[in-house]
Amino acid sequence: MRSAVLPGDPPGGRRAVAVWGIGVSVYFVAVIFRTSLGVAGLDAVDRFEVNASALSTFSILQLLVYAGMQIPVGLLVDRLGTKKVLAIGTVLFTAGQLGFAFSPSYGTALASRALLGCGDAMTFISVLRLGTRWFPARRGPLIAQLAGLAGMAGNLVSTLVLARLLHGVGWTAAFAGSAGAGAVVLVLTLLFLKDHPEGHEPEPLPHQGSAYVRRQIAASWREPGTRLGLWVHFTTQFPAMVFLLLWGMPFLVEAQGLSRATAGELLTLVVLSNMVVGLVYGQVVARHHEARLPLALGTVAATAAIWATTLLWPGATAPMWLLIVLCTVLGACGPASMLGFDFARPANPPERQGTASGITNMGGFVASMTTLFAIGVLLDATGDDYTVAFSFVFVLQALGISQILRLRGRAARRERERLVASRVETVHVPA
């Protein structure tokens, strides 16, 4: 007897890699645009003449739109398919990047970042759904980590390439020029991307209006695995996101006394560490599914420990070796957040994957948005005391861990029940 396969499990293969790669390229460009403010934060202060709180509003608004769009995007992906949603998202985030390049004022720049956040919100959930439609279910954890890896590659481009363009050709040329990448991936999406391989079309869903929306959200939320995935994503992602998206560069330059070049190298280290750890986590979870929660909790513990050590280090600044360790450990936050989807995915049937992923993906971005705002307010209130401001991270880590521990038992029992049921329905194909 051959090993059991799930009915309708897609075959994967080279074509799946090619089609999925187009979706990943859209996400790659979206992350470049999303993280571009991280290397331009100090320039934005001078360009728009704003303080720390106003600067943080750029990223907060962008993430607020992103987080608020996750469930609607999940529903759209389940209803319209990946290609249409990715195309719409690409148009929006490219328009947002162009608008940011030419914004003459703080208000128009805010509107541009909101538009960018709206388009960005449509990418990752679509890529996850594309992966489940083109690859076998057993490849799910690795495919999710590879998608996250592509996002980190986009962050790396933002840190290395866009930062140099910004200081070489100026604000407008750098941001407007980068928008050309959005046009390229839009053409690729429209010409070559397909929602699913032949013979694996999803069951048609009749239009059911608001009743359909309520049922999709309620059914996904009732699953403990969806809620556990949300809290894993919430607790693991935000320290690195906050560091890379906005506050890492000011912290390293203003609080630690480093040059911009050295600070940029440390931000690059976060991204490189993320890419390496992502590959490791993906392989480990693909082979040992029970490793998901220990990896997530271990990452949170390591992040909290190194964050506290850096903030409480005696003296005016932390030593370089400690900052290197901090950035290396922060690199594990992104891959750990991907584990949240590995709890939500098996808890929901294919027709709810987009909705469940949207709920899960809200977690880290809500935490990041809250922390970005809190740090900006605390910096203004304390006269740029980064130790006090950055300590807010521990508040959300404690909240997230309490929820993970509360839900883990229920999610594990429910997942075992689903596994038993799937084995009963498994099709055994004769050799």
Side-chain angles (χ1 to χ4, degrees):
M1 301 288 285
R2 292 181 186 172
S3 57
V5 294
L6 294 176
D9 217 20
R14 293 182 179 178
R15 188 166 181 232
V17 172
V19 173
W20 179 75
I22 294 172
V24 167
S25 69
V26 176
Y27 177 56
F28 170 78
V29 173
V31 173
I32 294 176
F33 293 179
R34 178 201 303 171
T35 57
S36 57
L37 186 60
V39 297
L42 297 176
D43 299 87
V45 169
D46 295 334
R47 181 178 178 86
F48 301 113
E49 299 179 349
V50 294
N51 59 15
S53 296
L55 177 62
S56 66
T57 303
F58 277 123
S59 296
I60 291 166
L61 178 61
Q62 183 179 331
L63 292 184
L64 177 64
V65 172
Y66 187 105
M69 285 288 292
Q70 288 309 292
I71 292 178
V73 167
L75 291 163
L76 282 173
V77 171
D78 287 338
R79 166 62 63 181
L80 300 178
T82 301
K83 181 173 183 173
K84 291 179 181 178
V85 176
L86 276 179
I88 294 169
T90 304
V91 170
L92 292 176
F93 68 62
T94 302
Q97 187 78 340
L98 273 174
F100 197 59
F102 295 102
S103 292
S105 66
Y106 178 68
T108 54
L110 274 179
S112 297
R113 295 307 284 187
L115 187 63
L116 193 157
C118 185
D120 182 19
M122 298 182 174
T123 58
F124 188 65
I125 300 303
S126 298
V127 171
L128 288 181
R129 176 59 178 267
L130 198 64
T132 63
R133 288 297 186 190
W134 280 90
F135 293 95
R138 67 182 183 277
R139 300 292 187 192
L142 182 58
I143 292 300
Q145 289 291 351
L146 289 174
L149 189 67
M152 283 298 101
N155 203 325
L156 190 62
V157 169
S158 178
T159 303
L160 295 178
V161 179
L162 191 59
R164 292 184 180 180
L165 282 174
L166 186 65
H167 298 115
V169 300
W171 179 284
T172 300
F175 281 101
S178 66
V184 172
V185 295
L186 177 61
V187 172
L188 291 175
T189 299
L190 294 175
L191 292 180
F192 301 112
L193 192 137
K194 290 193 66 175
D195 288 338
H196 48 74
E198 289 80 3
H200 293 270
E201 293 81 2
E203 290 292 329
L205 293 174
H207 181 68
Q208 296 169 310
S210 60
Y212 163 78
V213 172
R214 289 195 299 270
R215 278 198 295 270
Q216 285 285 91
I217 296 174
S220 296
W221 184 256
R222 277 197 300 267
E223 291 292 343
T226 304
R227 284 174 282 147
L228 179 59
L230 179 148
W231 284 108
V232 167
H233 200 269
F234 177 101
T235 314
T236 52
Q237 187 201 45
F238 78 95
M241 176 69 75
V242 167
F243 202 79
L244 288 172
L245 197 61
L246 185 61
W247 292 120
M249 180 69 78
F251 169 73
L252 294 171
V253 173
E254 296 177 353
Q256 300 301 318
L258 303 180
S259 66
R260 283 197 181 196
T262 303
E265 291 171 356
L266 287 174
L267 293 179
T268 303
L269 177 60
V270 178
V271 177
L272 293 175
S273 173
N274 185 300
M275 297 171 77
V276 173
V277 175
L279 288 175
V280 173
Y281 278 18
Q283 294 287 351
V284 169
V285 174
R287 290 175 169 80
H288 307 283
H289 213 49
E290 67 280 1
R292 293 169 298 171
L293 199 57
L295 284 175
L297 292 176
T299 302
V300 175
T303 303
I306 192 63
W307 197 273
T309 302
T310 303
L311 294 181
L312 298 177
W313 190 266
T317 60
M320 178 57 71
W321 68 264
L322 183 57
L323 295 176
I324 291 173
V325 174
L326 170 68
C327 292
T328 303
V329 172
L330 285 176
C333 291
S337 72
M338 294 296 102
L339 299 174
F341 298 101
D342 293 324
F343 289 102
R345 187 184 305 109
N348 292 272
E351 63 270 17
R352 287 207 310 265
Q353 288 294 320
T355 305
S357 295
I359 292 172
T360 300
N361 208 30
M362 284 181 62
F365 288 94
V366 169
S368 298
M369 176 180 60
T370 304
T371 307
L372 284 167
F373 176 73
I375 288 176
V377 170
L378 289 170
L379 284 174
D380 286 340
T382 60
D384 292 337
D385 188 330
Y386 280 90
T387 299
V388 173
F390 274 32
S391 294
F392 185 80
V393 167
F394 304 121
V395 176
L396 294 193
Q397 284 184 322
L399 172 62
I401 289 174
S402 69
Q403 296 301 310
I404 290 172
L405 296 179
R406 182 178 68 87
L407 289 164
R408 61 177 179 172
R410 274 179 279 175
R413 287 192 297 272
R414 180 66 172 147
E415 193 168 301
R416 283 195 297 268
E417 292 169 2
R418 283 187 174 275
L419 182 60
V420 171
S422 69
R423 284 174 177 170
V424 172
E425 298 172 0
T426 295
V427 176
H428 293 271
V429 183

